[in-house]
C-alpha cells in the first residue's frame, strides 16, 4: 500500500529528531514510536491503513535519521518520554494519542501513566513493560553497565560489503523480521562507509541499562494509565514467550487482541499490517 509521506525535522532544545508525517492535516494527532534499533519505517505499512489519523512517526534519538545524543548523555526510557513530550509541544498538540511498538510501546505506557492529562489513547503493539530488576541486582547491573561503557571506545560497528548482507543480519536480529521488513528498516537505517555499509544507530544503544525499574515500578506506570488502551499481542511475539508477563495483561485495564505473527507483525507483510489496522481503526473511531 502506498501513500504520500512527508519527511520532517523537529528541532528540540537539545536535539534534532527526524520523522515521517502521515495522514490529513485535520486528522486525530498521533505520535508513533518504534522499537529498539528500528526506525520510523516501522510504521510504513501500518500508517497508510489508519485513515483519519495525523501520524508523526518518529525516529527516536540515536535511531534512523535522528541525531545522536551528546557525549555523556544517556538513552534511558524516561529520556525518550521527555523527547516525545517536547515533540508534542513543538507540534502544538495539547492532547494526542500514542501508537507504540515494542520499546515504543513501553515509552508510551510510561508517558501515559506519568502525564495522563496529555494522552488521549494508547495503541500498543507487542510491548507493554520494560525488563525489570530488583534492588539486590542493582549493584551488579550498574557494574556491568560501567564496564561496558569503558569498553565501548574500542569497539567498531560491523561493516557490510553489500546492503543485502546488512538486510540478512537484520532479519536475524532482535525479534526476527521478514526480508521485506528488514529492507524497509535498512532504507532508513543504513549509511555508506569505507568498505560498504553500516547502521546509523548510536553504538551506545547496545550498552546494558545501568538501572532497571523494579516490577512494582513498571506495574505502577501501567496501572496509572487513565486513557483507553488497546494492546495487540503477536502469537509468536516477544511477550507471548515471556513467562514474566503471564497473567499480567489480564490484570490491567486495557483491551487485548491476539493476532498470528511475530514481533514485527505490523511490518513483516501486508496481511499482518492489515490485521493490526483492523484492530486499531475501530479503536480510534470511538468518540
Amino acid at each position: 500500500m502506498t501513500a504520500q509521506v512527508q519527511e520532517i525535522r523537529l528541532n528540540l532544545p537539545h536535539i534534532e529528531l527526524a520523522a515521517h508525517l502521515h495522514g490529513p492535516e485535520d486528522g486525530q494527532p498521533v505520535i508513533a514510536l518504534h522499537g529498539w534499533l528500528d526506525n520510523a519505517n516501522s510504521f510504513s505499512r501500518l500508517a497508510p491503513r489508519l485513515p483519519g489519523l495525523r501520524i508523526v512517526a518518529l525516529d527516536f534519538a540515536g535511531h534512523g535519521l535522528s541525531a545522536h545524543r551528546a557525549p555523556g548523555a544517556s538513552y534511558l526510557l524516561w529520556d525518550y518520554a521527555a523527547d516525545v513530550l517536547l515533540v508534542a509541544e513543538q507540534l502544538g498538540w495539547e492532547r494526542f494519542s500514542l501508537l507504540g511498538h515494542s520499546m515504543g510501546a513501553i515509552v508510551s505506557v510510561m508517558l501515559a501513566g506519568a502525564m495522563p492529562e496529555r494522552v488521549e489513547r494508547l495503541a500498543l503493539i507487542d510491548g507493554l513493560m520494560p525488563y525489570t530488576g530488583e534492588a539486590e541486582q542493582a549493584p551488579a547491573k550498574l557494574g556491568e553497565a560501567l564496564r561496558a561503557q569503558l569498553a565501548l571506545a574500542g569497539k567498531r560497528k560491523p561493516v557490510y560489503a553489500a546492503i543485502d548482507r546488512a538486510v540478512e543480519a537484520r532479519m536475524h536480529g532482535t525479534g526476527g523480521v521478514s526480508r521485506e521488513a528488514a529492507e524497509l528498516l535498512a532504507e532508513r537505517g543504513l549509511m555508506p562507509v569505507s568498505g560498504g555499509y553500516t547502521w546509523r544507530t548510536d553504538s551506545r544503544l547496545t550498552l546494558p541499562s545501568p538501572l532497571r525499574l523494579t516490577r512494582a515500578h513498571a506495574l505502577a506506570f501501567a496501572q496509572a494509565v487513565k486513557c483507553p488502551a488497546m494492546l495487540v499481542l503477536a502469537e509468536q511475539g516477544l511477550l507471548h514467550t515471556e513467562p514474566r508477563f503471564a497473567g499480567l495483561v489480564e490484570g490491567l485495564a486495557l483491551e487485548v487482541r491476539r493476532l498470528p505473527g511475530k514481533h514485527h507483525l505490523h511490518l513483516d507483510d501486508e496481511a499482518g499490517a492489515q490485521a493490526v489496522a483492523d484492530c486499531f481503526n475501530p479503536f480510534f473511531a470511538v468518540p
Side-chain angles (χ1 to χ4, degrees):
M1 174 174 279
T2 59
Q4 188 172 2
V5 180
Q6 182 182 350
E7 181 77 34
I8 61 172
R9 292 290 186 273
L10 298 151
N11 292 297
L12 307 186
H14 61 298
I15 197 168
E16 182 183 76
L17 300 183
H20 275 164
L21 184 58
H22 302 263
E25 291 186 15
D26 60 350
Q28 294 182 52
V30 177
I31 300 176
L33 306 175
H34 62 76
W36 180 62
L37 302 184
D38 289 344
N39 55 58
N41 269 4
S42 179
F43 299 100
S44 60
R45 279 182 153 151
L46 178 60
R49 291 177 158 84
L50 300 174
L53 304 184
R54 182 68 160 176
I55 299 174
V56 174
L58 290 182
D59 285 335
F60 272 130
H63 295 74
L65 301 180
S66 285
H68 295 185
R69 296 207 190 278
S74 61
Y75 287 95
L76 301 176
L77 292 172
W78 36 89
D79 296 321
Y80 291 128
D83 290 346
V84 175
L85 194 60
L86 287 171
V87 166
E89 291 287 291
Q90 186 169 126
L91 295 169
W93 290 355
E94 182 62 28
R95 295 272 290 173
F96 54 92
S97 295
L98 292 167
L99 168 60
H101 169 243
S102 194
M103 184 183 79
I106 294 166
V107 173
S108 297
V109 170
M110 293 182 70
L111 181 55
M115 304 282 286
E117 71 277 10
R118 300 296 299 271
V119 181
E120 193 81 35
R121 290 180 178 273
L122 276 185
L124 311 173
I125 305 170
D126 218 45
L128 181 64
M129 284 183 12
Y131 287 97
T132 57
E134 299 308 312
E136 62 271 16
Q137 301 165 327
K141 187 65 181 170
L142 179 58
E144 176 191 4
L146 292 174
R147 293 182 188 95
Q149 287 179 24
L150 291 176
L152 186 64
K155 293 185 177 181
R156 295 292 179 267
K157 291 182 182 180
V159 175
Y160 304 94
I163 291 175
D164 281 350
R165 301 289 291 275
V167 167
E168 289 170 6
R170 183 63 190 88
M171 288 171 64
H172 300 98
T174 302
V177 296
S178 69
R179 176 170 290 276
E180 289 183 358
E183 288 172 346
L184 286 167
L185 294 172
E187 281 179 10
R188 196 170 181 84
L190 287 178
M191 64 180 182
V193 293
S194 177
Y197 300 86
T198 194
W199 297 99
R200 295 179 182 274
T201 46
D202 192 329
S203 297
R204 289 175 291 175
L205 293 168
T206 63
L207 291 173
S209 300
L211 183 67
R212 284 182 173 169
L213 298 178
T214 66
R215 184 177 176 86
H217 279 118
L219 270 173
F221 279 105
Q223 292 167 344
V225 172
K226 305 300 183 187
C227 65
M230 175 180 284
L231 169 63
V232 170
L233 285 176
E235 291 179 352
Q236 292 82 44
L238 296 185
L239 297 194
H240 184 78
T241 58
E242 278 287 344
R244 64 198 172 91
F245 286 107
L248 171 64
V249 170
E250 286 72 15
L252 296 173
L254 49 77
E255 185 177 353
V256 180
R257 301 289 183 87
R258 289 175 170 82
L259 296 178
K262 296 183 178 180
H263 186 53
H264 288 75
L265 75 165
H266 65 300
L267 182 64
D268 277 335
D269 54 44
E270 300 292 340
Q274 188 60 56
V276 174
D278 289 343
C279 293
F280 287 154
N281 278 319
F283 173 71
F284 279 108
V286 175

